[in-house]
């Protein structure tokens, strides 16, 4: 998968195209990602102990990982990921500006 949990991405297609957000969850088996405050859906919930009233809850739904693209905070644009190998290890690098992208989340 070309993106990881915690990456800052921009949605490039669909109803939320142009929105930016952080990846909350990655589902690699299905090729989907959950982006915060994007692709919001309403779910009708039954009353439970944590929510005795029940009701309608808004939450983020997964969207295809092909619909998101990594957003570089340095050059303020969407970018593909390049990899740089050094004696310290392998790093993800922005294709446009060459800045190391955050790896540990």
């Amino acid at each position: 998968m070309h993106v990881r949990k915690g990456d800052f991405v921009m949605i490039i297609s669909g109803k939320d195209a142009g929105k930016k957000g952080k990846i909350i969850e990655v589902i690699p088996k299905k090729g989907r990602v959950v982006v915060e405050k994007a692709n919001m859906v309403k779910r009708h919930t039954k009353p439970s102990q944590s929510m005795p009233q029940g009701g309608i809850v808004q939450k983020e739904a997964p969207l295809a990982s092909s619909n998101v693209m990594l957003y570089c905070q340095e050059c303020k644009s969407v970018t593909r990921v390049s990899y740089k190998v050094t004696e310290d290890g392998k790093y993800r690098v922005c294709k446009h500006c060459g800045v190391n992208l955050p790896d540990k989340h």
Side-chain angles (χ1 to χ4, degrees), residues 24-68:
I24 299 170
E25 183 185 355
V26 177
I27 309 163
K29 283 188 177 181
K30 293 185 176 183
R32 298 178 87 71
V33 293
V34 178
V35 181
E36 70 178 354
K37 295 187 176 101
N39 198 24
M40 299 296 283
V41 294
K42 292 184 178 183
R43 290 283 172 247
H44 298 264
T45 57
K46 283 186 171 183
S48 63
Q49 281 214 319
S50 62
M51 199 171 179
Q53 194 70 21
I56 301 169
V57 178
Q58 272 201 313
K59 65 178 204 172
E60 297 97 352
L63 53 109
S65 66
S66 62
N67 292 347
V68 299

Side-chain angles (χ1 to χ4, degrees), residues 45-97:
T45 57
K46 283 186 171 183
S48 63
Q49 281 214 319
S50 62
M51 199 171 179
Q53 194 70 21
I56 301 169
V57 178
Q58 272 201 313
K59 65 178 204 172
E60 297 97 352
L63 53 109
S65 66
S66 62
N67 292 347
V68 299
M69 201 166 181
L70 197 65
Y71 187 82
C72 180
Q73 302 277 10
E74 298 295 317
C75 57
K76 303 283 188 235
S77 67
V78 291
T79 182
R80 288 177 296 151
V81 179
S82 176
Y83 292 95
K84 190 175 192 178
V85 180
T86 63
E87 52 272 346
D88 296 336
K90 187 173 165 182
Y91 297 102
R92 297 190 312 156
V93 177
C94 172
K95 277 272 195 189
H96 294 272
C97 60

Side-chain angles (χ1 to χ4, degrees), residues 11-26:
I11 299 171
I12 56 172
S13 68
K15 67 176 185 179
D16 290 325
K19 282 190 181 178
K20 298 174 199 138
K22 202 174 202 175
I23 293 185
I24 299 170
E25 183 185 355
V26 177

